[in-house]
Amino acid sequence: MVVLSSDPKPFYRAHIFVCTNERPENHPRGSCARKGAEKLRNYMKTRAKELGMGLEDGVRVNNAGCLERCELGPTLVIYPDGVWYRAETFEDIDEILEVHVKQGGRVARLMLKPEDGPDHSAKLK
């Protein structure tokens, strides 16, 4: 990611997008919604507020349409860091909020790498 000195400051300190895309029941790629993403997103929104990570702290949790990694889902991405995670449980969400959002670290065991999921390498060139 290139950041220019003329770029405006990010609007949010942490803008979290949780994929809630839903595909048909037996779709070969699956879907984050069918893997419980809406429940996890709702929990994340509530938990972030409980921990004092609301808009006043520059943190926003949003749902997102397809993020193109449903095979690995439920997935979420945190901007402006551009760090992707797979979160399956409330405990995963708690760890991401505590370690990544609050402390500025990374939860390595939940992180998705660019090579994970569908091959989009041609799009990245």
Side-chain angles (χ1 to χ4, degrees), residues 73-121:
T75 61
L76 62 94
V77 59
I78 302 175
Y79 288 112
D81 303 331
V83 176
W84 290 72
Y85 289 105
R86 174 184 187 174
E88 297 181 276
T89 67
F90 292 159
E91 291 79 15
D92 292 343
I93 296 295
D94 287 338
E95 190 172 359
I96 291 166
L97 287 171
E98 179 65 32
V99 174
H100 188 120
V101 180
K102 185 175 180 183
Q103 298 174 12
R106 300 295 182 264
V107 184
R109 70 179 186 84
L110 299 174
M111 284 176 67
L112 297 175
K113 298 174 217 70
E115 61 270 17
D116 294 335
D119 182 14
H120 293 293
S121 56

